[in-house]
Amino acid sequence: MENLQSVEQYNALKEQGKHVFLFTAGWCPDCHFIEPFMPEVEEKYSEYTFISVDRDQFIDLCGELDVYGIPSFVAYNKGEETGRFISKDRKTQEEIETFLQAQ
């Protein structure tokens, strides 16, 4: 999974194709919980490009997007937000895949 480098990159990526932005932080235990199975999720939903967004590095972007809990997911298709799975709760692989199937 690629790491977001700038807000400009976020703005460019969300306009092109299908992207899922995963908002996370190094100190977040629930974010670490999903790490082992995220490569499998990425492979299964390969029509999306997954981008990791460090909440602490992009706190202003998180505020703009109303992302106040992590780990959280926001999906885009050619500039249009198609869905969001945002909460502070731990997420299972099944919950993440159910979210992605609905996009």
Side-chain angles (χ1 to χ4, degrees):
M1 184 177 310
E2 183 181 339
N3 292 317
L4 186 69
Q5 301 300 315
S6 67
V7 172
E8 293 77 18
Q9 182 189 27
Y10 165 81
N11 289 326
L13 288 173
K14 74 177 187 175
E15 297 298 325
Q16 312 163 8
K18 292 183 169 188
H19 288 83
V20 174
F21 294 90
L22 166 58
F23 293 84
T24 185
W27 51 262
C28 168
D30 291 337
C31 299
H32 290 294
F33 175 79
I34 68 172
E35 284 177 358
F37 58 77
M38 279 309 295
E40 184 180 333
V41 171
E42 288 182 77
E43 187 175 320
K44 191 170 183 179
Y45 295 90
S46 60
E47 68 270 24
Y48 291 101
T49 301
F50 289 80
I51 307 292
S52 180
V53 181
D54 184 307
R55 173 209 167 277
D56 295 336
Q57 188 178 351
F58 293 100
I59 193 75
D60 293 340
L61 178 61
C62 290
E64 288 173 31
L65 296 172
D66 293 324
V67 174
Y68 295 109
I70 53 173
S72 287
F73 298 82
V74 179
Y76 289 92
N77 185 5
K78 297 179 185 165
E80 181 181 334
E81 184 179 312
T82 58
R84 46 180 49 219
F85 185 17
I86 296 179
S87 71
K88 62 180 176 52
D89 300 326
R90 177 172 283 188
K91 292 158 183 68
T92 66
Q93 182 172 353
E94 183 179 358
E95 289 172 327
I96 294 167
E97 289 184 4
T98 298
F99 162 71
L100 292 169
Q101 286 169 9
Q103 302 317 301

